[in-house]
Amino acid sequence: MSAPDIQAPTAEMMELLEELSAFSAPGDGVTRLLYTPEWRMAQQHLLNRAGESGLKAYSDSVGNVYGRLAGTRPDGKVVLIGSHIDTVVSGGKYDGAYGVAAAFTALGYLNRMYGQPLRTLEAVSFAEEEGSRFPLTFWGSGNVTGLYDGSEAEDCKDSEGVTLLEGMKSCGLGDKEPSAPRSDISAYVELHIEQGIVLERTGMQIGVVSAIVGQRRFAVTVKGTANHAGTTPMGLRRDALAAAAEMMLQMERLAAEAGDPLVATTGRLVVTPNTPNVIPGEVAFTLDVRHSREDELEAFCASVVSAFEEIAERRNVALGMALRLSASPAPMDSGLRAELEAICHQQGRTYRAMVSGAGHDAQLFAPRCKTAMIFVPSQGGISHSPEEYTPPEELAAGLEVLIALLYKLGYEETDEDGLVPQNTKERWT
Amino acid sequence: MSAPDIQAPTAEMMELLEELSAFSAPGDGVTRLLYTPEWRMAQQHLLNRAGESGLKAYSDSVGNVYGRLAGTRPDGKVVLIGSHIDTVVSGGKYDGAYGVAAAFTALGYLNRMYGQPLRTLEAVSFAEEEGSRFPLTFWGSGNVTGLYDGSEAEDCKDSEGVTLLEGMKSCGLGDKEPSAPRSDISAYVELHIEQGIVLERTGMQIGVVSAIVGQRRFAVTVKGTANHAGTTPMGLRRDALAAAAEMMLQMERLAAEAGDPLVATTGRLVVTPNTPNVIPGEVAFTLDVRHSREDELEAFCASVVSAFEEIAERRNVALGMALRLSASPAPMDSGLRAELEAICHQQGRTYRAMVSGAGHDAQLFAPRCKTAMIFVPSQGGISHSPEEYTPPEELAAGLEVLIALLYKLGYEETDEDGLVPQNTKERWT
């Protein structure tokens, strides 16, 4: 069987994407939080659509929805393709939902066009990734990969005091035993909007993700002395905000020196007492650092801590830095990356290897199976906003690349583990 | 009549100060806001004490309380001595109240010791200076000097929606015609705690104020682009907080170059959206600048505006700067300053000429009559706090200096305008 001449079912995917966006709480953009009525309706809609496409539709104990296209091979291995169905509050139509709509549409298309594959393909719509309702993230993929075991559901509460378990029960879940982590997944593929401006700025259609960045998040506090803004000479001040300003600028300089793909951000900053005529006595701010390599991440954080300490000592303010989050980089599978680049080449698409600065469900699969991520551009880099947008032709390009990869993974005769061997690039050029 | 051998009535003043501090709303420190029951009781207490001291006690249409010691001269001119009775929320015992207690105590003492003066002396407890309850300041001295004419009372509301006029009526005021601005005041003298750390740091007992600083306050907004902290490379950011940080640091550098007494402060800063994983799209901050000279104040503000514009342009962020407050410096009378320095010398007190970085009632009198201010130290420079403190012996020093000045102004034979001529320093050395 040779590489197919794909006519991407763009209209079908766009229709599904539009349908999903209608399952939203009132307000700007799309708001579809875990275990809400709109979330339940969206997942039910996908179950229906999967069934109509000839896929085996089912859901697991936490409400992840699957559409299974069973293969003829008896090894029981599965190629899983998907993303998450939940959104942030007043989010866009594309974050997560695009990858879900593309996965279900792609399997329906492959089933129609090529029938039963050699290897089992499953589309998935993960219950949750954003952490928008409950104080946890990756609840969907985390239950599949073993990050969670379901026991978290009793104690974890949303801002209204509703437990995760109560949320599950409101959607007809939570009564059966938690599903065990899946051990049958040999590969995971996720298509997603970039949520950044790299593809747009560089004029590329496709991003082949090389790694999802590792991350450190610090809570920083600087304590000086609050004092009268009029009566305290500049030389006698212990201004916590001036010290924080110097720290932020120094961090920015160090990040520029480190170069891409390192990013370092102070997104949140709170001043106390925050009154025009009082010198700030205390400033609390966050520091979010990301890099695709663990050693670079560590080295940068060490240089920031050292610079902050020097500034605090010189300015006679007290410095506190608490590590609040630490995640290792998740490299994508080099074989699948090579396949994706070959497909882009074959389809005549512009593409680039790139790091994902955002977290994705794929990072939970990367340590466990061959994992790939495909990005399409985000207009203006805007995401987590009603203004999130990618034109249909750019969404279609991602879908075509995905289908080509799934055709290879599902229908081509290759090695025994159900996946294309790494050195097959010549077949595509 | 020669300079008296003053035995400052410290105990009497401390007793009055303690009594005043008991007129407070519940909570930490002293809270005595304009036209509240505790405010009314404090002013009534001063009326009673003034009467007991043989002063003519009266109040005006806005509730300023006076204790008048009438002179024998028929010119009708008055030397006014005092400060304000209101406080900030959870303020200290000393800010304002010290100057009030000292003024009423001093006149009672002078009356007891020396009888009727040549020139009329009046102690005053101004109704309001802090702006803690209603969105205006200097309501007391402003009605005496013509800054206000009483018409503001109908529209001005506190945070509960109560108008100034309703507040006045709750204290038995507001029914009669507003008092006209006073034209009989030939001099104003105010004794106050420093509210800063200059006297403490330099080991001085008395500050002879040379000027109350002029002030400019700007509301600054910096607009960049809010974006994902993980997916936006450093080189593609328009980070409003990084730009604001550079502005604040540059302002600090320019202030250091300008030198004392210039002070420049960012006391309030608010980040939008203020989320750890989003690059700040907008930052609003205040800029408070003070100097005793108008030309220096103007030059500094111009240099800051220019520096901010350069930073905004280079960083491709939008800058808005709105002038919210502009007050000219108020120089104190050089003749009265010389008198005060001579008195300090005579009493063997350490003293220094200094600028007041804080605003005071005296600044409203300075353009209208000979005006003087005397400072005593504030422990740790702390003010507007329950921890505000000055030891009794340091309060006593201020009282003694005040009494010596009032003796000169009230009892000595001098020129026809009722004030000591400027070149009389030799009589004190």
Side-chain angles (χ1 to χ4, degrees):
Chain A
M1 200 182 282
S2 70
D5 182 20
I6 300 160
Q7 292 297 320
T10 309
E12 189 185 337
M13 178 188 68
M14 292 304 296
E15 189 189 333
L16 181 52
L17 200 49
E18 283 301 317
E19 287 164 359
L20 290 175
S21 73
F23 300 115
S24 170
D28 285 347
V30 181
T31 302
R32 192 166 50 233
L33 306 187
L34 179 63
Y35 301 145
T36 56
E38 45 277 8
W39 174 93
R40 186 182 53 72
M41 288 189 284
Q43 291 291 66
Q44 184 57 53
H45 187 70
L46 285 165
L47 277 169
N48 298 346
R49 281 293 289 263
E52 290 159 19
S53 303
L55 308 177
K56 182 190 165 198
Y58 70 104
S59 66
D60 64 14
S61 62
V62 297
N64 294 319
V65 164
Y66 301 88
R68 182 179 174 102
L69 182 56
T72 53
R73 289 220 174 147
D75 63 5
K77 293 290 183 190
V78 172
V79 175
L80 190 67
I81 315 101
S83 193
H84 59 96
I85 195 66
D86 70 314
T87 70
V88 298
V89 174
S90 292
K93 289 182 185 176
Y94 304 90
D95 178 1
Y98 166 54
V100 169
F104 282 80
T105 304
L107 293 207
Y109 172 85
L110 288 168
N111 191 31
R112 278 202 306 279
M113 299 292 285
Y114 308 103
Q116 191 177 21
L118 297 173
R119 283 165 293 270
T120 299
L121 304 173
E122 276 190 35
V124 62
S125 171
F126 287 122
E128 199 275 344
E129 183 250 24
E130 299 283 4
S132 306
R133 180 175 174 188
F134 295 95
L136 48 66
T137 55
F138 300 113
W139 179 244
S141 54
N143 271 282
V144 172
T145 56
L147 174 65
Y148 301 119
D149 63 8
S151 66
E152 300 81 2
E154 271 186 63
D155 295 329
C156 187
K157 290 179 183 172
D158 71 6
S159 62
E160 311 282 304
V162 178
T163 68
L164 195 43
L165 187 60
E166 288 166 345
M168 291 172 77
K169 293 195 171 177
S170 77
C171 292
L173 300 163
D175 287 330
K176 51 182 179 177
E177 278 295 292
S179 312
R182 291 184 65 162
S183 56
D184 59 344
I185 297 168
S186 59
Y188 175 73
V189 180
E190 184 167 359
L191 177 60
H192 207 283
I193 57 167
E194 182 200 336
Q195 303 181 276
I197 42 181
V198 171
L199 292 177
E200 182 177 272
R201 288 291 175 97
T202 55
M204 297 289 167
Q205 292 174 290
I206 297 291
V208 176
V209 175
S210 56
I212 298 171
V213 293
Q215 189 176 358
R216 298 287 184 280
R217 194 175 289 167
F218 295 90
V220 185
T221 53
V222 178
K223 289 188 186 176
T225 303
N227 230 320
H228 195 297
T231 62
T232 314
M234 299 307 284
L236 297 181
R237 296 180 173 210
R238 295 174 65 229
D239 184 333
L241 182 55
E246 187 175 350
M247 290 173 189
M248 289 186 281
L249 268 196
Q250 183 59 23
M251 180 188 79
E252 192 189 39
R253 262 192 294 268
L254 290 169
E257 281 173 26
D260 291 333
L262 185 128
V263 286
T265 308
T266 293
R268 179 175 163 80
L269 182 142
V270 175
V271 179
T272 304
N274 214 29
T275 300
N277 62 350
V278 179
I279 298 161
E282 186 168 338
V283 173
F285 62 96
T286 57
L287 173 52
D288 179 300
V289 183
R290 310 189 193 198
H291 197 290
S292 55
R293 282 179 47 186
E294 185 71 16
D295 57 345
E296 297 276 358
L297 196 54
E298 277 296 307
F300 180 80
C301 290
S303 71
V304 166
V305 169
S306 159
F308 281 19
E309 284 171 348
E310 185 277 321
I311 291 165
E313 192 177 339
R314 173 161 42 77
R315 285 179 174 268
N316 190 28
V317 294
L319 173 69
M321 291 186 76
L323 184 64
R324 292 284 191 226
L325 187 157
S326 179
S328 292
M332 300 292 102
D333 180 69
S334 59
L336 291 179
R337 286 174 56 194
E339 288 295 342
L340 286 169
E341 293 184 2
I343 289 166
C344 288
H345 188 81
Q346 188 201 31
Q347 294 183 353
R349 308 212 171 278
T350 54
Y351 68 93
R352 61 176 289 157
M354 65 183 293
V355 162
S356 172
H360 294 289
D361 292 304
Q363 74 196 58
L364 269 64
F365 290 93
R368 292 168 180 83
C369 67
K370 297 191 175 190
T371 302
M373 272 204 89
I374 308 160
F375 278 169
V376 296
S378 297
Q379 195 164 87
I382 296 165
S383 185
H384 286 187
S385 157
E387 278 144 54
E388 193 177 80
Y389 182 67
T390 303
E393 63 274 18
E394 296 184 4
L395 297 172
L399 178 62
E400 274 192 31
V401 170
L402 176 69
I403 288 174
L405 181 67
L406 297 184
Y407 180 84
K408 298 218 65 123
L409 297 179
Y411 292 85
E412 292 206 344
E413 291 284 357
T414 53
D415 63 332
E416 75 291 342
D417 81 344
L419 288 172
V420 180
Q422 294 197 13
N423 299 316
T424 54
K425 199 171 175 185
E426 60 284 4
R427 298 182 305 157
W428 292 99
T429 52
Chain B
M1 203 182 281
S2 70
D5 182 22
I6 300 160
Q7 292 297 321
T10 309
E12 188 185 337
M13 178 189 69
M14 292 304 297
E15 189 189 332
L16 180 52
L17 199 50
E18 283 301 317
E19 288 164 358
L20 290 176
S21 73
F23 300 115
S24 170
D28 285 346
V30 181
T31 301
R32 191 167 51 231
L33 307 186
L34 179 63
Y35 302 146
T36 55
E38 46 277 8
W39 175 92
R40 188 182 52 74
M41 287 189 285
Q43 292 290 67
Q44 184 59 52
H45 186 70
L46 285 165
L47 277 169
N48 298 347
R49 283 291 288 262
E52 290 159 16
S53 303
L55 308 176
K56 182 190 164 197
Y58 70 103
S59 65
D60 65 15
S61 62
V62 298
N64 295 317
V65 164
Y66 301 88
R68 182 180 175 102
L69 182 55
T72 53
R73 288 218 175 150
D75 63 5
K77 293 291 183 190
V78 172
V79 174
L80 190 67
I81 315 101
S83 191
H84 59 95
I85 194 67
D86 69 315
T87 70
V88 298
V89 174
S90 291
K93 289 181 186 176
Y94 305 90
D95 178 1
Y98 166 53
V100 169
F104 281 81
T105 304
L107 294 206
Y109 171 84
L110 289 168
N111 190 31
R112 278 201 305 280
M113 300 292 285
Y114 308 103
Q116 191 177 20
L118 296 173
R119 281 166 292 270
T120 299
L121 303 174
E122 276 191 33
V124 61
S125 171
F126 287 123
E128 199 275 343
E129 183 251 24
E130 298 283 5
S132 307
R133 180 175 176 189
F134 295 94
L136 47 66
T137 54
F138 299 114
W139 180 243
S141 54
N143 272 283
V144 172
T145 56
L147 174 66
Y148 301 120
D149 63 9
S151 66
E152 300 81 3
E154 271 187 64
D155 295 330
C156 186
K157 289 179 184 171
D158 71 7
S159 62
E160 311 283 303
V162 177
T163 66
L164 194 45
L165 187 60
E166 289 166 345
M168 291 171 76
K169 292 194 172 177
S170 77
C171 293
L173 301 163
D175 288 327
K176 52 182 178 176
E177 278 295 292
S179 311
R182 291 183 66 163
S183 57
D184 59 343
I185 298 168
S186 59
Y188 175 74
V189 180
E190 184 166 359
L191 176 61
H192 207 283
I193 58 167
E194 183 200 336
Q195 302 181 278
I197 42 180
V198 171
L199 291 177
E200 182 178 271
R201 288 290 176 98
T202 55
M204 297 289 167
Q205 293 175 289
I206 298 290
V208 176
V209 176
S210 56
I212 297 172
V213 293
Q215 189 177 358
R216 298 286 183 280
R217 193 175 291 166
F218 295 90
V220 185
T221 54
V222 178
K223 288 188 186 175
T225 303
N227 229 321
H228 195 296
T231 61
T232 314
M234 299 307 285
L236 297 181
R237 296 180 173 209
R238 296 174 65 230
D239 184 333
L241 183 56
E246 188 175 349
M247 290 172 189
M248 288 186 283
L249 267 197
Q250 183 60 20
M251 181 188 78
E252 191 188 41
R253 263 192 293 269
L254 290 169
E257 282 173 27
D260 291 334
L262 186 129
V263 287
T265 308
T266 292
R268 179 175 163 79
L269 182 143
V270 175
V271 179
T272 305
N274 215 28
T275 299
N277 62 350
V278 178
I279 298 162
E282 187 169 336
V283 173
F285 63 95
T286 56
L287 173 51
D288 179 299
V289 183
R290 309 189 194 198
H291 198 290
S292 56
R293 280 179 49 184
E294 184 72 16
D295 57 345
E296 297 276 359
L297 195 54
E298 277 296 306
F300 179 80
C301 290
S303 71
V304 166
V305 169
S306 160
F308 281 20
E309 284 172 347
E310 185 278 320
I311 291 166
E313 191 177 338
R314 173 163 41 76
R315 286 180 174 267
N316 190 26
V317 294
L319 172 70
M321 290 186 75
L323 184 64
R324 293 284 191 229
L325 185 158
S326 179
S328 293
M332 299 293 102
D333 180 68
S334 59
L336 291 179
R337 286 174 56 195
E339 287 296 341
L340 286 169
E341 293 184 1
I343 289 166
C344 288
H345 188 81
Q346 188 201 29
Q347 294 184 353
R349 307 214 172 277
T350 55
Y351 68 93
R352 60 177 290 159
M354 64 182 295
V355 162
S356 171
H360 293 288
D361 292 303
Q363 74 196 58
L364 270 64
F365 289 93
R368 292 169 182 82
C369 66
K370 297 190 175 189
T371 301
M373 272 204 90
I374 307 159
F375 278 169
V376 296
S378 297
Q379 195 163 86
I382 298 166
S383 184
H384 287 187
S385 157
E387 278 144 55
E388 194 176 80
Y389 182 67
T390 303
E393 62 274 18
E394 297 183 4
L395 297 172
L399 177 62
E400 274 193 29
V401 170
L402 177 69
I403 288 174
L405 181 66
L406 297 184
Y407 181 84
K408 299 221 61 126
L409 297 178
Y411 292 84
E412 292 205 344
E413 290 285 354
T414 52
D415 63 330
E416 76 289 342
D417 80 345
L419 289 172
V420 180
Q422 295 196 13
N423 298 316
T424 54
K425 200 171 173 184
E426 62 282 3
R427 297 184 306 155
W428 292 99
T429 52

